[in-house]
Amino acid sequence: MRRFSISTFALALLAWTANAQPDDGSKETPVADTVIEDPYLWLEDVEGDAALGWVREQNERSLGVLEADSRFEALQATALDIVNADDRIPYGSIRNGQVYNFWQDQDNVRGLWRRTSLESYATENPDWETVLDFDALAESEEKNWVFKGANCLDVKGERVTRCLVSLSDGGKDAVINREFDLEKRTFVEGGFETPEAKQGVSWVDEDTLLIATDWGGDGSTLTESGYPSVVKRWTRGTLLEDAETLVTGEKTDVGVWPFTLELEDGRRLQGAVESDTFFTSKYFLIGTDNELTQLPVPPKSSPNSIFEGQLLVALQQDWTPEGMETEFQSGDLVAFDFDAWLDTGDAPQVETVFRPGPRQSFEGVSKSGDTALMSINDNVVGKVLRLERSEDGWTMTPLDLPGSGQVNLAFASDRTSIAFFNYEDFLTPASLLSYDSATDEMTPLKSVPAKFDASGLKVEQFEATSTDGTGIPYFIVHSEDIPLDGSTPTVLYGYGGFQVPLTPGYAPVTGRLWLEQGGAYVVANIRGGGEFGPDWHQAGLKTKRQTIYDDFIAVAEDLVAKGITSPDHLGIMGGSNGGLLMGVMLNQRPDLWNAVVVQVPLLDMLRYHL
């Protein structure tokens, strides 16, 4: 078996994971006041000359190995052809009867914001009109502008054309917001414009914004996490510094952000959410005299849209509402009469809309015209259900989807009955489906051609048993005639964090460069992710992190036990939080794999903010 050099980051992680194990008396307790000098702190200056020089050295070292392999040049060319292909689906959103799309290619590196009619969008070659050219904008202003999205005013029953365009200098989190006129396709002279900061903005009406930002630009109103803590109301024609203070959070909060909530009669309520931690929040409505009224929802919950007068709320904790004996469960979608609560202020009577089964999870709900569409994962397969409410309670009707893969809601709005869905699976390229909630019709709209030969390939789903007896599902894509002698080169991918599920997705580069070459590809649905709701995620938090690592090891051992692969032929891969997973795996079980791909990892959790 080949051995790999262990980076200083991984060595630091090894020390951390060793000290993090429960003390069973078999080893000496570390001395608490021992200080270990880290000789590599200069790497934290990520754009410094020393750090960039070190990176260049590692790149040269890696490229030397890759370019010595006769296969590298052809494989690299194939990969570049795939990622630079322009036969992608131009996903879009509908506004004022037109489809808006943000598009990037080799000629438009920063991207085009463009639009076309619904009729044209349904054709093979839509007639696009450029709304804003970000390459041209960056060149004219001599800025490294990166488009971070548009926040457009939306008034029920009215045609509105004002948006706030978010621009980042170089792609960082801090942005500026500039008011833009969609009709004239120009920035509004003398319109709303914010200085660069991490910020949140919400339209109240055409002349009013709610905004949270770095007030004064000196960081004094930011939280310890670096996000805004004060929400103000800013009126057109006044200076930003004269905006009216509405909500002030604590330094220890993660952040405080504005929001608006539209009722079904068109009234628009103003509010702010105070995120006490990354997982707990308080939601406040701002009254006519700027008094604050807290929504009657638990800290670990996500208020959603209003449907049939009911506020839909997704729970991430068990909850017994005030004045009720019913305990709702973490993962439930619940609802209560929002108008009645607004009128009386009394504790609401809460009801269950959807309770996931043991292998299901609620993903989200959106309105399409007068219809509510709910997305769920059912044993890591995507489904969409049409919600309806009557005197007898809630009913759910599944929409007709092409297969058992991943389905994502690409666009939905209560302003139109047309919604867009993206469907794909491991062997089926992405396709865009148009759904009309008024007629309940699903229509294929666009698709991309296959990027690799899927003939002779099959997808299977298995379960491995983790150390505590929990079944851990995983998908494997492989040749139909795979030999079960441990000889198949296999890549095992994992993430396990932030309640993010890993669902079946089409990966053209993996297909061409790995599956077509006879390799097998495995996706592990370990805890920490969102495959089966909040409890699946929370099972791997804080002191329970080892649970996630044990799950991943269990999947690898199951692959070996089935004869699919062996440690000599098994490689693992993960990025960001999955990069942390890879760092741990490199150190805890170096005997179980022969290659480890650690992508953009967060390894030093004590100093990552530095």
Side-chain angles (χ1 to χ4, degrees):
M1 180 186 292
R2 295 187 301 275
R3 291 294 183 226
F4 300 88
S5 61
I6 301 177
S7 72
T8 55
F9 296 118
L11 287 170
L13 183 65
L14 175 60
W16 174 78
T17 52
N19 291 335
Q21 300 305 310
D23 184 7
D24 59 3
S26 61
K27 59 184 178 181
E28 294 182 5
T29 303
V31 179
D33 59 356
T34 299
V35 176
I36 301 175
E37 289 293 330
D38 186 344
Y40 298 101
L41 288 182
W42 51 270
L43 283 170
E44 289 182 352
D45 182 13
V46 295
E47 295 184 353
D49 291 340
L52 292 178
W54 181 84
V55 169
R56 283 189 286 268
E57 289 177 8
Q58 309 317 308
N59 286 344
E60 291 172 4
R61 177 184 171 198
S62 299
L63 284 170
V65 174
L66 292 171
E67 291 171 347
D69 191 310
S70 60
R71 299 168 297 175
F72 175 69
E73 187 174 347
L75 292 174
Q76 183 188 43
T78 298
L80 287 173
D81 285 343
I82 291 173
V83 298
N84 288 326
D86 58 7
D87 54 357
R88 293 170 281 132
I89 294 175
Y91 294 98
S93 58
I94 302 173
R95 173 169 293 276
N96 297 330
Q98 293 180 298
V99 178
Y100 284 77
N101 161 257
F102 177 66
W103 182 261
Q104 291 174 288
D105 56 31
Q106 58 188 0
D107 297 321
N108 302 279
V109 177
R110 300 176 192 277
L112 295 174
W113 195 21
R114 57 187 190 170
R115 66 189 173 198
T116 190
S117 67
L118 269 168
E119 294 75 19
S120 179
Y121 185 64
T123 66
E124 186 173 345
N125 296 298
D127 183 16
W128 293 105
E129 175 189 33
T130 298
V131 177
L132 185 54
D133 183 331
F134 293 99
D135 291 274
L137 179 68
E139 183 178 359
S140 67
E141 298 185 352
E142 297 182 348
K143 290 283 191 177
N144 187 17
W145 288 135
V146 175
F147 179 48
K148 287 284 190 170
N151 179 350
C152 297
L153 175 63
D154 206 348
V155 179
K156 196 166 189 174
E158 297 183 19
R159 179 183 177 87
V160 291
T161 63
R162 296 297 176 91
C163 296
L164 293 171
V165 173
S166 292
L167 299 169
S168 166
D169 190 0
K172 54 193 172 186
D173 289 342
V175 299
I176 67 168
N177 277 290
R178 281 191 199 164
E179 189 175 3
F180 188 84
D181 190 314
L182 290 176
E183 202 73 35
K184 299 177 180 177
R185 294 181 294 158
T186 59
F187 288 104
V188 177
E189 186 175 352
F192 289 117
E193 184 168 347
T194 66
E196 183 182 78
K198 293 179 182 178
Q199 57 189 271
V201 182
S202 185
W203 289 95
V204 176
D205 54 44
E206 191 167 350
D207 295 316
T208 315
L209 299 177
L210 299 183
I211 178 169
T213 187
D214 180 8
W215 299 101
D218 59 0
S220 61
T221 62
L222 299 181
T223 65
E224 293 172 356
S225 298
Y227 296 104
S229 67
V230 178
V231 173
K232 298 187 181 185
R233 185 187 291 120
W234 186 19
T235 304
R236 187 183 299 279
T238 65
L239 297 175
L240 180 59
E241 53 263 35
D242 293 333
E244 180 183 14
T245 300
L246 302 174
V247 181
T248 301
E250 303 292 335
K251 273 283 186 183
T252 53
D253 292 334
V254 172
V256 183
W257 313 97
F259 70 85
T260 54
L261 181 63
E262 186 181 80
L263 305 183
E264 289 172 306
D265 61 9
R267 284 181 294 159
R268 204 176 187 88
L269 304 182
Q270 302 173 43
V273 52
E274 180 181 324
S275 297
D276 304 312
T277 71
F278 281 102
F279 304 106
T280 59
S281 298
K282 302 186 190 79
Y283 296 84
F284 297 95
L285 295 182
I286 302 168
T288 53
D289 295 324
N290 293 343
E291 72 277 9
L292 301 181
T293 303
Q294 186 173 346
L295 287 183
V297 298
K300 291 184 179 179
S301 67
S302 303
N304 208 286
S305 56
I306 295 174
F307 177 64
E308 299 285 354
Q310 304 287 305
L311 178 65
L312 302 175
V313 182
L315 301 182
Q316 287 92 43
Q317 66 174 78
D318 295 342
W319 180 42
T320 302
E322 180 184 349
M324 296 184 66
E325 296 182 357
T326 305
E327 182 180 60
F328 298 94
Q329 296 178 7
S330 178
D332 286 353
L333 178 66
V334 301
F336 63 84
D337 190 324
F338 193 67
D339 287 331
W341 175 76
L342 284 176
D343 290 341
T344 66
D346 296 338
Q349 291 296 300
V350 182
E351 60 187 31
T352 301
V353 179
F354 172 72
R355 172 162 290 172
R359 287 284 161 167
Q360 292 180 322
S361 68
F362 166 80
E363 293 299 303
V365 62
S366 298
K367 293 183 68 175
S368 174
D370 296 325
T371 301
L373 302 175
M374 182 177 69
S375 301
I376 67 169
N377 268 335
D378 190 348
N379 202 22
V380 207
V381 170
K383 293 184 178 180
V384 181
L385 309 173
R386 181 179 176 127
L387 284 180
E388 292 180 288
R389 187 174 186 270
S390 66
E391 293 180 356
D392 298 326
W394 295 86
T395 58
M396 282 149 270
T397 306
L399 302 191
D400 188 17
L401 296 170
S404 300
Q406 174 188 145
V407 58
N408 296 313
L409 184 61
F411 167 79
S413 169
D414 62 356
R415 304 298 195 250
T416 174
S417 64
I418 303 298
F420 296 145
F421 291 97
N422 179 81
Y423 175 83
E424 61 186 274
D425 57 44
F426 286 115
L427 303 180
T428 306
S431 60
L432 185 66
L433 311 173
S434 177
Y435 174 71
D436 190 337
S437 60
T439 62
D440 197 28
E441 293 183 358
M442 185 79 74
T443 306
L445 197 62
K446 297 179 182 297
S447 63
V448 296
K451 300 292 186 181
F452 63 90
D453 183 5
S455 61
L457 295 176
K458 67 183 296 186
V459 179
E460 294 185 285
Q461 189 180 32
F462 296 113
E463 273 196 6
T465 302
S466 193
T467 50
D468 63 357
T470 301
I472 309 301
Y474 64 91
F475 290 101
I476 177 169
V477 190
H478 61 83
S479 172
E480 290 179 347
D481 56 356
I482 184 174
L484 298 178
D485 60 2
S487 64
T488 301
T490 301
V491 170
L492 168 59
Y493 187 87
Y495 185 76
F498 297 98
Q499 208 165 324
V500 175
L502 294 185
T503 52
Y506 193 72
V509 174
T510 300
R512 285 285 293 278
L513 272 62
W514 189 251
L515 294 173
E516 280 191 5
Q517 314 305 316
Y521 180 66
V522 182
V523 173
N525 299 116
I526 59 180
R527 281 173 285 188
E531 284 80 356
F532 303 129
D535 289 346
W536 191 257
H537 163 62
Q538 293 164 12
L541 292 182
K542 297 183 178 179
T543 59
K544 297 178 284 188
R545 291 293 294 176
Q546 187 60 41
T547 298
I548 295 170
Y549 310 140
D550 290 344
D551 290 356
F552 192 81
I553 290 169
V555 172
E557 291 180 334
D558 199 57
L559 291 170
V560 173
K562 282 183 168 60
I564 292 169
T565 191
S566 61
D568 279 346
H569 300 289
L570 177 59
I572 57 176
M573 180 185 297
S576 190
N577 180 77
L580 170 60
L581 170 67
M582 294 303 105
V584 176
M585 294 299 95
L586 176 65
N587 287 289
Q588 287 194 359
R589 290 299 305 272
D591 59 303
L592 196 49
W593 11 78
N594 207 7
V596 181
V597 182
V598 189
Q599 301 167 304
V600 290
L602 287 172
L603 294 179
D604 188 346
M605 298 307 294
L606 295 178
R607 294 181 59 86
Y608 78 96
H609 61 294
L610 302 174

